[in-house]
C-alpha cells in the first residue's frame, strides 16, 4: 500500500509548491533570494510530512497526482529526476568522479521546472555537460555564466538552493549559431611546414604598449612577427570552425595535443600554456601560414610564448558538380581566417 500524507498536509505543500513553481518560471534575478528562502522551508516541511526528496517513489508521486496536487507533483518529480540522473551513465560520462544521490548533484530542482532546453537534446547528457562546465568554473556565489554547447548560446544561473548549498539553478539555451552560407564554398587542406618548436619567442613582463610591440620568431622570417595582443585573443579551438573538423583533427594529432575535457577548457602546449594561433599571408595567392603559439603567464608577472609549429593552409579548387558531395560542409571563406 502506498503511503502519502493526509489532505491538510498536502494542501499546505501544494500552496508552497505553487509559489516556488511560479517564482522559478519568472526567470528574473529578483526572485532568486525569495526562491532560496521558500525552498528551504519547503524542504523542511517535506521531511516532516514523510516525503523526503531522497526517498520519494514514483508510486507516491502517482498517488499524490491522483489526489489533485499538480504543483507538488512537479517538484516531487524534479527531485526524483535528480536522483535518477545522479547515477546515470550520462552523468558519469562527463563527471566520472561523482557520487550518486540527490545531495551529491549540485543541481537545483528548478532545473527541471524552469530550464529552457531544446527538445532535440538528450536531457541527461546535456545536464551532465552543464554540470561539468559549472563545476569547473568553481562559482563562489550567486551569478551567471555564459558559454556555448553544441553551438547553442547557453546562460547558467547560479544560486543557493536552501540558503546554504550553492547550486546550478537553471540554464537558458538561446539561438543556435549556423555557419554562413556562401554561393561558392572553397575547401581547405592543411599540411605541416615546419614543426620545430621555437622556445621562448617571448619571455618577459608585458605592460602597456608591450602588448602591441612586434615579437620576432626565432629562426623565422619577418612576416611571422606577431604581437602578444594578437595571439591572446585567438584561441586554438576557433580553428575547428574555420578549417573544418578533419583539418583540425590532423593538426591536433600531428602535434600530439590532448583534447580538453569540456567546452570551457582550452588546448595546452609547451609548459602547459594555453594554445593560440595567428595566420599570415604568403606570396602564393591560395596559401597562408598558420603559426601555433603556446602563451600565458608562466610565473607571476612572467609571460612566455613558445612557437609550437608552422603549418600551411591551402585553398583547394571547388569540386566539380560530379565530384561534389551531396551535403558539402560549409566552410568560411579563406579571407575570413585570422
Amino acid at each position: 500500500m502506498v503511503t502519502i500524507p493526509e489532505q491538510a498536509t498536502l494542501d499546505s505543500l501544494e500552496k508552497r509548491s505553487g509559489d516556488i513553481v511560479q517564482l522559478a518560471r519568472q526567470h528574473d534575478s529578483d526572485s532568486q533570494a525569495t526562491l532560496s528562502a521558500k525552498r528551504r522551508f519547503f524542504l523542511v516541511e517535506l521531511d516532516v510530512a514523510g516525503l523526503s526528496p531522497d526517498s520519494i517513489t514514483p508510486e507516491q508521486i502517482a498517488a499524490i497526482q491522483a489526489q489533485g496536487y499538480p504543483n507538488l507533483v512537479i517538484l516531487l518529480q524534479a527531485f526524483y529526476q535528480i536522483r535518477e540522473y545522479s547515477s546515470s551513465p550520462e552523468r558519469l560520462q562527463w563527471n566520472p568522479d561523482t557520487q550518486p544521490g540527490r545531495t551529491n548533484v549540485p543541481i537545483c530542482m528548478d532545473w527541471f521546472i524552469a530550464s529552457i532546453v531544446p527538445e532535440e537534446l538528450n536531457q541527461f547528457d546535456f545536464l551532465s555537460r552543464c554540470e561539468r562546465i559549472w563545476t569547473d568554473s568553481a562559482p563562489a556565489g550567486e551569478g551567471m555564466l555564459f558559454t556555448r554547447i553544441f553551438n547553442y548560446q547557453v546562460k547558467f544561473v547560479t544560486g543557493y538552493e536552501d540558503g546554504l548549498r550553492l547550486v546550478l539553478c537553471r540554464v537558458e539555451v538561446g539561438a543556435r549559431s549556423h555557419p554562413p552560407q556562401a554561393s561558392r564554398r572553397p575547401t581547405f587542406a592543411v599540411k605541416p611546414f615546419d614543426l620545430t618548436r621555437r622556445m621562448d619567442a617571448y619571455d618577459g613582463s608585458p605592460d602597456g604598449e608591450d602588448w602591441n610591440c612586434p615579437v620576432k620568431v626565432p629562426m623565422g622570417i619577418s612576416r611571422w612577427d606577431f604581437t602578444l595582443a594578437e595571439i591572446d585573443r585567438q584561441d586554438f579551438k576557433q580553428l575547428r570552425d574555420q578549417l573544418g573538423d578533419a583539418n583540425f583533427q590532423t593538426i591536433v594529432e600531428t602535434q600530439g595535443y590532448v583534447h580538453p575535457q569540456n567546452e570551457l577548457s582550452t588546448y595546452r602546449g609547451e609548459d602547459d600554456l594555453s594554445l593560440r594561433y595567428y595566420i599570415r599571408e604568403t606570396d602564393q595567392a591560395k596559401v597562408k601560414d598558420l603559426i601555433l603559439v603556446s602563451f600565458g603567464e608562466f610565473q607571476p608577472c612572467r609571460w612566455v610564448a613558445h612557437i609550437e609549429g608552422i603549418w600551411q593552409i591551402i585553398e583547394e579548387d571547388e569540386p566539380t558538380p560530379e565530384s561534389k558531395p551531396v551535403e558539402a560542409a560549409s566552410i568560411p571563406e579563406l579571407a575570413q581566417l585570422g
Side-chain angles (χ1 to χ4, degrees):
M1 180 177 178
V2 179
T3 302
I4 61 174
E6 60 184 20
Q7 183 177 347
T9 300
L10 291 174
D11 289 342
S12 176
L13 289 171
E14 174 67 13
K15 184 178 184 305
R16 288 194 184 276
S17 300
D19 292 341
I20 291 173
V21 170
Q22 182 180 7
L23 283 169
R25 287 175 174 171
Q26 286 180 3
H27 285 194
D28 63 87
S29 57
D30 293 338
S31 301
Q32 291 301 309
T34 304
L35 261 174
S36 178
K38 286 185 176 293
R39 282 192 296 257
R40 180 177 183 181
F41 289 112
F42 177 70
L43 289 168
V44 172
E45 191 169 341
L46 272 183
D47 281 329
V48 172
L51 293 175
S52 170
D54 300 316
S55 60
I56 187 74
T57 66
E59 292 75 18
Q60 287 177 304
I61 296 174
I64 293 171
Q65 185 173 25
Q67 293 293 322
Y69 297 96
N71 292 305
L72 177 57
V73 167
I74 289 174
L75 299 190
L76 294 179
Q77 286 177 333
F79 287 131
Y80 185 76
Q81 285 178 291
I82 293 174
R83 280 171 38 213
E84 290 290 289
Y85 164 74
S86 73
S87 56
S88 66
E90 291 91 345
R91 187 192 187 204
L92 294 177
Q93 178 181 1
W94 294 100
N95 305 272
D97 299 324
T98 53
Q99 298 297 317
R102 182 188 68 87
T103 56
N104 292 318
V105 179
I107 305 297
C108 181
M109 55 184 168
D110 295 4
W111 169 279
F112 294 99
I113 303 169
S115 289
I116 302 173
V117 179
E119 293 182 357
E120 66 267 22
L121 299 181
N122 178 293
Q123 298 294 299
F124 277 7
D125 176 69
F126 186 74
L127 174 53
S128 178
R129 295 169 187 266
C130 290
E131 180 185 354
R132 180 57 184 265
I133 294 171
W134 183 86
T135 302
D136 285 350
S137 70
E142 293 180 331
M144 294 179 290
L145 171 69
F146 296 87
T147 187
R148 188 178 297 274
I149 305 176
F150 297 133
N151 242 18
Y152 283 100
Q153 298 173 353
V154 183
K155 171 185 175 182
F156 290 25
V157 179
T158 297
Y160 290 94
E161 180 181 45
D162 53 4
L164 299 173
R165 194 168 79 110
L166 192 65
V167 292
L168 173 58
C169 291
R170 69 174 189 272
V171 298
E172 299 172 21
V173 180
R176 187 174 186 180
S177 300
H178 295 281
Q181 299 296 318
S183 57
R184 179 182 181 275
R185 295 185 285 186
T187 56
F188 305 128
V190 295
K191 70 175 184 179
F193 179 74
D194 184 351
L195 299 188
T196 304
R197 275 179 163 80
R198 295 162 165 84
M199 305 296 288
D200 301 328
Y202 178 86
D203 188 341
S205 302
D207 58 3
E209 295 183 358
D210 290 348
W211 284 86
N212 296 306
C213 291
V215 176
K216 294 186 178 298
V217 173
M219 299 180 292
I221 54 181
S222 59
R223 72 164 181 258
W224 292 344
D225 293 354
F226 64 93
T227 67
L228 302 182
E230 174 185 25
I231 62 173
D232 190 43
R233 64 175 179 262
Q234 298 191 129
D235 192 312
F236 175 75
K237 290 191 295 186
Q238 298 170 3
L239 288 173
R240 184 189 296 273
D241 291 334
Q242 295 178 323
L243 297 177
D245 189 68
N247 286 327
F248 184 79
Q249 286 295 117
T250 296
I251 296 173
V252 169
E253 293 173 5
T254 302
Q255 297 275 164
Y257 297 137
V258 176
H259 292 292
Q261 295 182 338
N262 60 64
E263 287 83 353
L264 285 184
S265 301
T266 187
Y267 286 84
R268 298 284 176 175
E270 289 289 337
D271 291 327
D272 200 37
L273 297 174
S274 298
L275 198 56
R276 300 287 189 260
Y277 77 93
Y278 62 100
I279 293 173
R280 292 291 182 261
E281 301 283 348
T282 71
D283 54 5
Q284 301 178 63
K286 295 188 176 184
V287 178
K288 293 196 175 186
D289 289 336
L290 166 66
I291 299 92
L292 307 180
V293 189
S294 47
F295 173 66
E297 193 171 17
F298 184 67
Q299 295 174 350
C301 298
R302 178 190 173 192
W303 293 69
V304 172
H306 307 304
I307 303 300
E308 297 273 329
I310 301 169
W311 289 69
Q312 287 188 329
I313 303 171
I314 304 168
E315 181 181 348
E316 298 178 327
D317 293 332
E318 185 178 15
T320 62
E322 293 77 13
S323 62
K324 185 182 297 184
V326 176
E327 295 183 358
S330 178
I331 303 176
E333 294 287 341
L334 185 62
Q336 296 179 358
L337 293 179

